Amino acid sequence: MDQLWANRAASAEAAITQRHLRRLWGLPGTQLGVVAWPAAGPHKRLRTWHYWWQAHLLDCLVDAQLREPDPERQRRIARQIRAHLLRNIGRWTNDYYDDMAWLALALERAGRLTGVAKPRALHTLCEQLVNAWVPEDGGGIPWRKQDQFFNAPANGPAGIFLVRYDDRLRRAQQMADWIDEVLIDPDTKLVFDGVKGGSLVRAQYTYCQGVVLGLETELAVRIGAGEHALRVHRLVRAVAEHMAPDGVIKGAGGGDGGLFNGILARYLAVVATTLPGDTAEDIAARDTARRLVLDSAEAAWENRQTVGVDGGGLPLFGAFWERAAELPTAAGRQAESVEGAVNASEIPERDLSVQLSGWTLMEAAHAVSAQPSGAGSTESRPTEPGPAGT
C-alpha cells in the first residue's frame, strides 16, 4: 500500500513541478511557486508570491525528499530557499508571526532532514517568535506585529518550531497551555481561531486543529504522554466528529483557505506516526488519525482531474476533497491579498494553495501507510526519518 501512495505523491509533486515552479526573475539557482495555474502575466513574473504558501511548498519538497531521496530535488530545495530570501528583499522576516513560523518550520526540517541548512535564518526567526510572547497583552503571540489578535495559527506552528529547533519546552508548554485554557470550545472540544481585543473569535478552522495536534504531540513525545497526550486524544476525536464528514477532512475553498485541510492532514500524520504510548486511547488516536488521512487521500485522488497535454496528464486536486475537482481557466476572479489574507480565485483549484494541500495529503498518506496501524514512535524526540545514507 505504501508504494501506491508513493506513486500518487510523486504524481502530485510532478504536477506542481511542471505547472508552478519557475525561476525568480530568470535568475539562475532560484525557484518559486507561481501562485496560479493557468498563470496570468503578473503571476509568471512572480509579482505576487505569498510568503507562507512558499513555506508550505518547501515543506512538501522536504516530504518528497524523505519519500525518495534525489540529488536534483535537494538542489530544488536549495533553490527554493535562496529565491525566498531574494523575493523577500533579502530578509527572512516579515510582519506576520504566523508566516515566519511556517517558514521556520520548513527551514528547520530542510536542514535537519535534507542537509540544506540555514542556521542564521533559523536563529533570526527563533528570536522573532520568542520575543513576540506577550501574556500581559492577552496572548500568546499575536498574528502580526503591533496587533492585538492572538490566534492558534500563530502560536501552534511557533510552538512546534521552538520544541524542534531550540528545546524551548517551557515556552512551548506555555503556548499549548494558553491555547488549551482560552481557545478550546467547551461543547465540541475543537480549537477556536483566537482572541482579538479581548473578545473570542469563535471561528473553527481545520488548520487550527492541525497545528494544536502537532504542538501537543511534540510535547507528548518530549515530556512524556500525560496531559499532552490526553489533549491529543480529545482533539482527534473532535476532528473526526466535527471536521471530517464521512471521514474526509473538510475543505475551505481557495486562497489561504486552500492550505487549511492540507495542514490538518500533515499533523494528523504526525499523530499517527509519532504519538507515544500504548494505552487503548493512544492506539485509538493514532488509528483514527491514520484513517482520516487515508480516507481523505483516497477521496481526493478519486475526485481529481487528470489534466491533458498542457498539464502533463498529471493530477489536479479539488479544493473540497469529497467533490469532483473543477478544471480552472485563466478567466475570472484571481486570488488577491485583502487586509493581510489571500482570498480565493473564482475557481479555487487555480490556486497553488489548493494544489499544495493535495500534495501534502498524498505525502501524509504515504507516511502513515508506511507504518503499521496502531504503531507509535519509540523515539525520544519527534524525529522524522532522514534520507537514505544520512
Side-chain angles (χ1 to χ4, degrees):
M1 180 63 77
D2 58 320
Q3 189 56 52
L4 171 69
W5 291 113
N7 292 340
R8 291 176 174 181
S11 293
E13 178 187 12
I16 294 284
T17 300
Q18 178 166 321
R19 296 180 196 141
H20 291 273
L21 297 191
R22 296 179 66 90
R23 282 183 177 184
L24 172 64
W25 305 324
L27 295 172
T30 66
Q31 154 206 300
L32 283 177
V34 174
V35 297
W37 181 86
H43 298 141
K44 293 177 182 178
R45 294 189 291 274
L46 290 160
R47 287 178 58 184
T48 56
W49 70 299
H50 309 323
Y51 176 116
W52 84 289
W53 295 17
Q54 305 296 330
H56 284 278
L57 173 53
L58 176 59
D59 240 347
C60 283
L61 288 166
V62 174
D63 293 339
Q65 188 69 355
L66 295 179
R67 167 175 46 82
E68 186 178 12
D70 178 69
E72 174 53 31
R73 190 187 298 103
Q74 189 175 40
R75 288 188 285 272
R76 286 203 297 275
I77 290 169
R79 290 196 293 264
Q80 179 74 23
I81 294 171
R82 179 170 184 262
H84 194 114
L85 179 63
L86 291 173
R87 182 61 183 80
N88 204 44
I89 321 299
R91 297 177 298 131
W92 296 110
T93 61
N94 71 4
D95 287 339
Y96 293 82
Y97 289 110
D98 57 347
D99 282 10
M100 290 188 281
W102 293 121
L103 180 60
L105 278 172
L107 288 173
E108 191 278 332
R109 293 182 73 232
R112 173 166 52 91
L113 301 173
T114 77
V116 184
K118 295 293 175 183
R120 283 189 292 182
L122 292 175
H123 176 75
T124 296
L125 291 166
C126 183
E127 283 196 325
Q128 291 279 321
L129 298 173
V130 168
N131 294 334
W133 176 253
V134 283
E136 64 276 10
D137 290 348
I141 69 173
W143 170 49
R144 62 183 172 184
K145 296 178 180 179
Q146 278 73 58
D147 200 291
Q148 289 296 300
F149 182 29
F150 301 94
N151 66 355
N155 285 270
I160 297 168
F161 169 70
L162 292 176
V163 172
R164 289 180 178 175
Y165 168 68
D166 204 33
D167 280 344
R168 290 183 180 263
L169 296 180
R170 183 172 180 274
R171 176 58 52 81
Q173 279 188 285
Q174 289 173 320
M175 297 166 99
D177 290 345
W178 176 79
I179 292 170
D180 194 66
E181 291 163 9
V182 177
L183 298 186
I184 301 300
D185 182 345
D187 297 322
T188 66
K189 308 305 180 185
L190 292 171
V191 182
F192 288 129
D193 189 27
V195 176
K196 189 167 189 176
S199 298
L200 190 62
V201 179
R202 301 178 68 87
Q204 295 174 339
Y205 300 115
T206 47
Y207 78 145
C208 294
Q209 321 312 311
V211 297
V212 174
L213 285 172
L215 175 56
E216 297 288 5
T217 300
E218 298 286 334
L219 290 170
V221 172
R222 290 299 305 276
I223 295 170
E227 180 180 22
H228 298 292
L230 294 176
R231 293 175 184 175
V232 174
H233 303 161
R234 182 188 68 197
L235 188 50
V236 168
R237 288 194 299 268
V239 167
E241 182 176 356
H242 300 290
M243 289 202 152
D246 298 318
V248 178
I249 298 167
K250 293 196 299 187
D256 283 342
L259 283 164
F260 291 2
N261 47 1
I263 290 168
L264 176 52
R266 173 179 296 284
Y267 289 105
L268 283 168
V270 169
V271 172
T273 58
T274 68
L275 181 69
D278 56 6
T279 68
E281 291 80 8
D282 297 324
I283 294 168
R286 289 194 295 266
D287 280 346
T288 300
R290 183 178 190 272
R291 186 185 73 247
L292 288 170
V293 170
L294 291 175
D295 287 354
S296 297
E298 192 62 51
W301 187 260
E302 289 301 314
N303 287 306
R304 76 195 188 282
Q305 290 275 0
T306 301
V307 182
V309 176
D310 182 48
L314 295 168
L316 181 130
F317 296 104
F320 301 91
W321 293 332
E322 75 281 5
R323 307 178 199 169
E326 185 174 355
L327 190 64
T329 68
R333 185 186 68 251
Q334 302 175 19
E336 60 181 1
S337 296
V338 179
E339 297 182 353
V342 182
N343 60 18
S345 293
E346 186 167 324
I347 299 174
E349 283 81 353
R350 189 181 186 191
D351 296 341
L352 172 63
S353 56
V354 171
Q355 301 313 312
L356 286 174
S357 268
W359 182 8
T360 301
L361 177 62
M362 296 300 123
E363 299 287 1
H366 172 256
V368 302
S369 68
Q371 185 159 325
S373 177
S377 173
T378 58
E379 298 287 343
S380 60
R381 56 159 301 188
T383 53
E384 297 159 277
T390 63

